[in-house]
Structure formats: structure tokens, C-alpha cells
Amino acid sequence: MTPTGPRTSQQPAPASVPDRQPLDEHVTASVRAYAADQRAKADDLVPGPEDIAADGCPSPESGVRWEDARDAHLERFAGEQPRVA
């Protein structure tokens, strides 16, 4: 953290940073793609807490029990074709 606050991914890195090695263009593209993927995953999670902040917590009666969600997921998982990691 800097005295002016944390640096975000929206801020460009300083033009000259002596203790860093430049990346080749393929590595740079891969890192940017990874960052975009992670940002998209985070963006998918944001509506949940925003909804809770705006409207409060949902009642337990309106949700799905975690055991039921787990069992449904395991059933879907068991029905998939085997894959090689």
C-alpha cells in the first residue's frame, strides 16, 4: 500500500521500475487474459452481496438448503463423462 492508497489494476504501472524484468509479449498477453478471467469471476459474485446490502438477508424459507444444493450438484457431477485432468 502506498501513502496515497492501494494501487488498483486500473492504474498503470510507473514507466520505469528498476527491480522488475520486462515480459515478452506472449507472457504479457497471458497475464492480461488471466487477470480479465479473474475479474470476470469476481464480477459474477458481486450481485449477491450488493443485493443483501440493498434488501437485507433472504429468509431461510425462501432459499435452498445447502444439503439439497450439495446433493443436486453431486448428482450432476456423477452423471458427467469421465475426464482426464
Side-chain angles (χ1 to χ4, degrees):
M1 225 157 107
T2 63
T4 58
R7 192 164 96 190
T8 66
S9 61
Q10 301 300 320
Q11 297 175 338
S16 174
V17 181
D19 62 342
R20 294 189 181 191
Q21 299 293 318
L23 301 175
D24 106 342
E25 64 186 57
H26 299 292
V27 174
T28 300
S30 294
V31 171
R32 289 186 192 280
Y34 176 77
D37 180 58
Q38 294 301 306
R39 188 172 294 114
K41 287 178 182 178
D43 289 344
D44 289 342
L45 298 175
V46 169
E50 286 180 343
D51 178 55
I52 291 171
D55 301 322
C57 289
S59 69
E61 295 80 26
S62 68
V64 176
R65 294 182 39 212
W66 75 268
E67 295 92 344
D68 297 336
R70 178 201 59 206
D71 293 344
H73 176 72
L74 290 175
E75 286 177 23
R76 284 192 305 272
F77 184 68
E80 291 181 4
Q81 295 294 321
R83 294 185 230 170
V84 176

